[in-house]
């Protein structure tokens, strides 16, 4: 199992680290445009191998995609990160060119590759990867919902004052501050609806805190988060590599599902060795359907800028 991570910045390096520590891949290729940067990160990570007891080989490369040849999975994290006050949508001008070029290079050397897109605005970048590569819809996945759901569970556990392992919940729709929908109605604590423990007002606050999860960290750190995004995408890579059939909410190309077409949008998906094995259609309330459709229109408006 060979995995390529494009972009050796905070998210890419964290992703490579988590993949290596889990020890399910034979090789991780970390590639970056900055001279020597990926090589340095790879060397630093490899020096932890005896301490962390993993055998995964991590190789650093400066902008030579021939070294990624034969990759089974690739993660695209490259592009400029969010800065304080910046929306994900504002990143589109620069990041579209980067994602298009990177996708083409990956497919050139690994025609059977499965691509996971992390770069923002993520739903639009996943859509661009679909349109520019022509790969089957199951082989391009947008990461957003996996991260947003982890942030949702963190906020739920905080409100419940319980371990996160007790909590289950999911975020669907767009990977943006205004576009995501935390499904508080379906969230549970050990199968018991969280509405039995939390008031409607507290649940609404949990949802709002989840929506601004990325912006909150950007304000505190001065740049995008890296541990949680890296962990989220590494979990998706593991689901593909180990064919676990785990369900993640992620950005998938829709062709009639949920009444939408020609859009990459956050929905529950079964992830396995073929990438997206199945899109799971869940029953939404009338209010959730209306919000879902409105948020999809907002993403389509951003897609039109491509």
């Amino acid at each position: 199992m060979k995995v390529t991570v494009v972009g050796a910045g905070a998210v890419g390096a964290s992703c490579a680290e988590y993949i290596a520590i889990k020890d399910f891949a034979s090789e991780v290729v970390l590639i970056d445009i900055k001279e020597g940067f990926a090589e340095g990160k790879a060397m630093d990570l490899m020096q932890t191998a005896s301490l962390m007891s993993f055998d995964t080989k991590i190789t650093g490369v400066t902008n030579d995609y021939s070294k990624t040849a034969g990759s089974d999975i690739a993660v695209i994290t490259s592009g400029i990160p969010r800065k304080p006050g910046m929306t994900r949508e504002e990143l589109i001008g620069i990041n579209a060119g980067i994602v298009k070029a990177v996708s083409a290079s990956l497919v050139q050397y690994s025609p059977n590759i499965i691509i996971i897109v992390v770069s923002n605005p993520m739903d639009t970048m996943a859509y661009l990867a679909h349109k520019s590569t022509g790969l089957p819809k199951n082989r391009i996945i947008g990461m957003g919902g996996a991260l947003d759901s982890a942030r949702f569970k963190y906020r739920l556990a905080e409100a419940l004052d319980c371990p996160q392992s007790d909590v289950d919940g999911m975020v669907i729709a767009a990977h943006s501050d205004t576009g995501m929908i935390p499904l508080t109605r379906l969230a549970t604590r050990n199968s018991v609806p969280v509405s039995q423990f939390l008031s409607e007002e507290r649940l609404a606050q949990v949802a709002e805190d989840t929506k601004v999860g990325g912006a909150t960290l950007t304000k505190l750190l001065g740049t995008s988060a890296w541990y949680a995004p890296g962990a989220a995408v590494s979990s998706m890579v593991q689901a593909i590599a180990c064919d676990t059939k785990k369900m993640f909410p992620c950005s998938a190309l829709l062709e009639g599902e949920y009444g939408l077409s020609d859009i990459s949008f956050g929905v529950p998906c079964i992830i396995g060795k073929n990438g997206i094995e199945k899109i799971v259609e869940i029953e939404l309330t009338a209010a959730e359907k209306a919000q879902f459709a409105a948020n999809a229109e907002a993403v389509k408006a951003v897609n039109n800028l491509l």
Side-chain angles (χ1 to χ4, degrees):
M1 176 60 58
K2 182 175 179 177
V3 180
T4 288
V5 179
V6 184
V11 173
S14 293
C15 174
E17 177 185 8
Y18 295 139
I19 290 170
I21 287 171
K22 292 175 184 178
D23 219 13
F24 60 81
S26 55
E27 182 179 6
V28 174
V29 177
L30 195 55
I31 185 167
D32 200 280
I33 198 167
K34 184 178 178 182
E35 186 69 40
F37 192 61
E39 289 88 338
K41 288 284 185 86
M43 186 181 295
D44 192 14
L45 284 169
M46 282 303 293
Q47 288 168 2
T48 73
S50 63
L51 300 166
M52 302 302 293
S53 301
F54 66 80
D55 296 315
T56 303
K57 178 184 177 184
I58 307 170
T59 306
V61 180
T62 300
N63 215 31
D64 180 3
Y65 281 85
S66 67
K67 298 291 197 301
T68 72
S71 292
D72 301 282
I73 307 164
V75 176
I76 302 178
T77 74
S78 49
I80 62 167
R82 290 171 79 188
K83 294 183 172 60
M86 182 185 281
T87 65
R88 292 180 176 92
E89 287 74 20
E90 287 177 287
L91 304 177
I92 189 170
I94 297 170
N95 287 357
I98 294 171
V99 169
K100 187 174 181 181
V102 165
S103 299
S105 297
L106 289 168
V107 173
Q108 178 186 351
Y109 290 101
S110 304
N112 297 316
I113 203 163
I114 294 170
I115 296 174
I116 304 176
V117 179
V118 180
S119 307
N120 281 314
M122 190 276 307
D123 296 288
T124 296
M125 293 301 102
Y127 178 76
L128 173 62
H130 279 289
K131 293 297 178 181
S132 64
T133 64
L135 288 178
K137 63 180 283 187
N138 60 297
R139 284 169 48 197
I140 294 180
I141 312 168
M143 180 275 293
L147 171 60
D148 296 332
S149 297
R151 287 173 171 165
F152 182 36
K153 285 180 262 194
Y154 159 69
R155 288 300 188 185
L156 281 168
E158 179 184 55
L160 291 161
D161 191 24
C162 75
Q164 286 192 45
S165 57
D166 256 15
V167 173
D168 200 12
M170 180 165 56
V171 176
I172 60 170
H175 180 56
S176 70
D177 300 356
T178 56
M180 68 178 76
I181 304 175
L183 292 173
T184 53
R185 176 178 61 88
L186 299 178
T188 60
R189 179 180 181 180
N190 277 352
S191 301
V192 179
V194 294
S195 56
Q196 290 197 23
F197 304 100
L198 300 173
S199 69
E200 207 169 295
E201 293 75 22
R202 188 69 181 92
L203 274 174
Q205 186 60 53
V206 165
E208 286 308 307
D209 289 344
T210 300
K211 289 180 181 181
V212 296
T216 301
L217 285 165
T218 300
K219 196 180 295 181
L220 290 169
L221 297 168
T223 184
S224 295
W226 53 86
Y227 300 121
V233 72
S234 74
S235 293
M236 296 177 77
V237 171
Q238 184 175 19
I240 297 167
C242 302
D243 193 27
T244 62
K245 306 289 195 290
K246 190 177 170 94
M247 185 190 294
F248 290 93
C250 54
S251 195
L253 186 67
L254 302 181
E255 296 175 320
E257 299 93 347
Y258 289 90
L260 296 176
S261 293
D262 195 35
I263 184 174
S264 286
F265 208 50
V267 293
C269 297
I270 305 299
I271 305 296
K273 66 180 179 182
N274 298 309
I276 295 175
E277 306 264 339
K278 182 182 180 182
I279 293 173
V280 179
E281 293 200 59
I282 58 176
E283 193 64 41
L284 300 176
T285 66
E288 289 163 349
K289 283 179 184 175
Q291 192 180 356
F292 191 82
N295 295 357
E297 287 304 312
V299 169
K300 285 192 172 186
V302 177
N303 291 352
N304 288 338
L305 298 174
L306 292 172

